[in-house]
Amino acid sequence: MMRNNILLLLTALTMCACQNDDTDFSAYINGTYSDVHVISISYEGTSVTVSGDDKGFVTADGTDVTVNSGTSADSLLLVLSGNTDDGSLLVYGQKSYGMVLNGISISNNDGPAINNQCGKALYMKVTDGTSNSLTDGSTYADITDAYGNAIDQKGALFSEGEVYVSGGGSLTVNGNCRHGFACDDYIVINDEVSLSVNCTTGNGIKVNDGIWINGGTLDINVTADAARGIRCDSVVVITGGNTAITTSGNCVYDSEAADYSSAVCIKCDYPFTMTGGSLTMNSSGDGGKGLNCSADILFEGGTLLAVTTGGNKQSKPKAVKSDTGIYISGGSFTAKVNKSWACDNGYDDDSLSDEELAKRRITVTGTPSYADITQKSVVITF
């Protein structure tokens, strides 16, 4: 019980930190924040047109654009539009800023499409009714800053600081070298935004300090071996929206861990919490897993469906796996596998039948309207 309370406290503290980190998102997007500096950047094939940059923050080498506000107190709002088959956007700054995707398509042959090197919050709005896409190259060229230091490049869309994604348009991120959408801080997804992430090498979304899915439609497809749809070093919290994740990669041997690593739809190191929305996970590779959490899984509402159809030649497939506990107290929860166990919380007892062991591997609180718990299928509805 003490362990559970500590994990819940860590989750709550992280959520409070996210909610109190920065100023109002809408002020940046609407251009009403004090001292806001609106810069429009239009990509036009092999050139760009920049307007509103009366302070010289923007430089361009063809369609490779750099925005550097230095130590300026200005709050930037970057409005991106147009398309290029070989361009990029690199942003430096020391203050939170906004970015509007207003029908932008950027492909970069040798690096990220957008690389945010600002460690503060990036408020990204996908304009209602627009389609936007970001695609990286299959290899990255090494780049350095003005001081000769190597610049991080971790995905087609990469940010050093936290990212708030909102709006009602669509954004497609295609990762061909490392990750699709990578963030060294945390990610929050709001509103009715439609975000699709496709990755053929690394993880669909790689985030260090937590991800909050509060709305929108999130569709992640990962085909790389041992890759994750979402790989989070902290908490995963789902309160709304519609999320679908598909992984089809097989296992690879991890020599450092001396074990096989399998593809997973969601892998997180701290508690997974779901209170609303829908989450569908499908993993078809050998030993694949739907949800794999190193801490507690707290399912309190919404609809969760996790299905694994892969074999168990090198790793055991699991639809929902936790190292500490799987707690179900609301909503609709379904986990299914062809082989191994639908749900696994680490509990084991050779004296129990598979039927009894299946019931010990989850904790149900309250009285569900329907419950069918077996080794390969767990269906619970409140």
Side-chain angles (χ1 to χ4, degrees):
M1 182 61 69
M2 178 65 71
R3 178 184 178 89
N4 292 342
N5 289 339
I6 292 173
L7 291 173
L8 287 170
L9 178 60
L10 287 172
T11 304
L13 289 174
T14 307
M15 291 181 71
C16 289
C18 289
Q19 292 170 354
N20 297 318
D21 255 2
D22 274 283
T23 49
D24 179 32
F25 169 73
S26 63
Y28 285 95
I29 295 307
N30 296 330
T32 57
Y33 189 70
S34 60
D35 299 319
V36 70
H37 192 64
V38 181
I39 300 175
S40 297
I41 303 172
S42 176
Y43 289 80
E44 300 168 355
T46 57
S47 65
V48 294
T49 298
V50 179
S51 62
D53 180 31
D54 56 10
K55 296 192 177 183
F57 292 155
V58 182
T59 58
D61 180 6
T63 49
D64 290 321
V65 178
T66 300
V67 179
N68 191 342
S69 61
T71 59
S72 172
D74 289 82
S75 295
L76 292 183
L77 179 61
L78 306 179
V79 182
L80 310 181
S81 62
N83 66 83
T84 178
D85 291 333
D86 188 15
S88 63
L89 176 66
L90 176 63
V91 182
Y92 294 99
Q94 298 181 21
K95 187 177 177 65
S96 301
Y97 73 99
M99 181 183 294
V100 176
L101 305 186
N102 192 29
I104 181 69
S105 176
I106 301 176
S107 293
N108 186 4
N109 293 331
D110 57 4
I114 292 180
N115 188 341
N116 174 42
Q117 286 294 302
C118 174
K120 297 294 185 178
L122 165 58
Y123 298 102
M124 177 180 286
K125 180 178 180 180
V126 185
T127 302
D128 294 4
T130 66
S131 296
N132 305 267
S133 67
L134 303 172
T135 304
D136 66 359
S138 57
T139 58
Y140 287 3
D142 294 331
I143 58 174
T144 57
D145 61 18
Y147 304 98
N149 301 311
I151 297 174
D152 279 347
Q153 306 178 91
K154 298 182 180 179
L157 170 57
F158 171 61
S159 179
E160 291 282 358
E162 61 266 32
V163 183
Y164 296 83
V165 185
S166 71
S170 66
L171 171 61
T172 299
V173 180
N174 300 305
N176 298 302
C177 180
R178 296 178 183 171
H179 308 302
F181 183 179
C183 178
D184 279 352
D185 211 298
Y186 59 82
I187 296 171
V188 180
I189 300 174
N190 292 316
D191 295 343
E192 299 301 321
V193 67
S194 178
L195 175 60
S196 297
V197 182
N198 308 300
C199 201
T200 59
T201 53
N203 304 308
I205 293 179
K206 171 64 176 72
V207 58
N208 288 3
D209 295 339
I211 182 169
W212 280 257
I213 302 172
N214 301 321
T217 300
L218 178 58
D219 186 16
I220 302 174
N221 290 278
V222 177
T223 58
D225 290 343
R228 279 75 168 152
I230 295 176
R231 175 64 178 99
C232 180
D233 297 342
S234 184
V235 299
V236 173
V237 180
I238 301 177
T239 66
N242 299 293
T243 301
I245 305 173
T246 301
T247 64
S248 57
N250 288 312
C251 296
V252 296
Y253 187 73
D254 185 338
S255 58
E256 184 176 339
D259 198 1
Y260 285 94
S261 179
S262 58
V264 181
C265 293
I266 296 179
K267 176 69 175 77
C268 54
D269 292 342
Y270 283 84
F272 170 94
T273 303
M274 184 169 178
T275 61
S278 69
L279 172 62
T280 301
M281 297 172 287
N282 287 280
S283 183
S284 60
D286 183 67
K289 294 171 180 63
L291 172 58
N292 187 357
C293 182
S294 300
D296 285 351
I297 292 173
L298 308 170
F299 181 76
E300 301 169 0
T303 301
L304 181 149
L305 172 62
V307 178
T308 62
T309 57
N312 59 352
K313 293 180 180 179
Q314 297 170 323
S315 179
K316 293 181 179 180
K318 308 281 176 64
V320 177
K321 178 181 180 297
S322 165
D323 289 349
T324 58
I326 302 171
Y327 300 90
I328 303 169
S329 60
S332 175
F333 179 99
T334 302
K336 294 179 179 293
V337 294
N338 281 349
K339 297 180 180 296
S340 189
W341 292 84
C343 292
D344 185 1
N345 63 359
Y347 181 86
D348 209 355
D349 187 339
D350 291 339
S351 68
L352 297 177
S353 66
D354 288 346
E355 181 180 358
E356 287 299 319
L357 187 56
K359 294 177 181 178
R360 297 285 187 93
R361 289 190 164 182
I362 61 173
T363 300
V364 179
T365 302
T367 305
S369 60
Y370 178 84
D372 184 19
I373 304 170
T374 65
Q375 176 185 353
K376 296 182 179 180
S377 175
V378 174
V379 181
I380 299 171
T381 304
F382 282 84

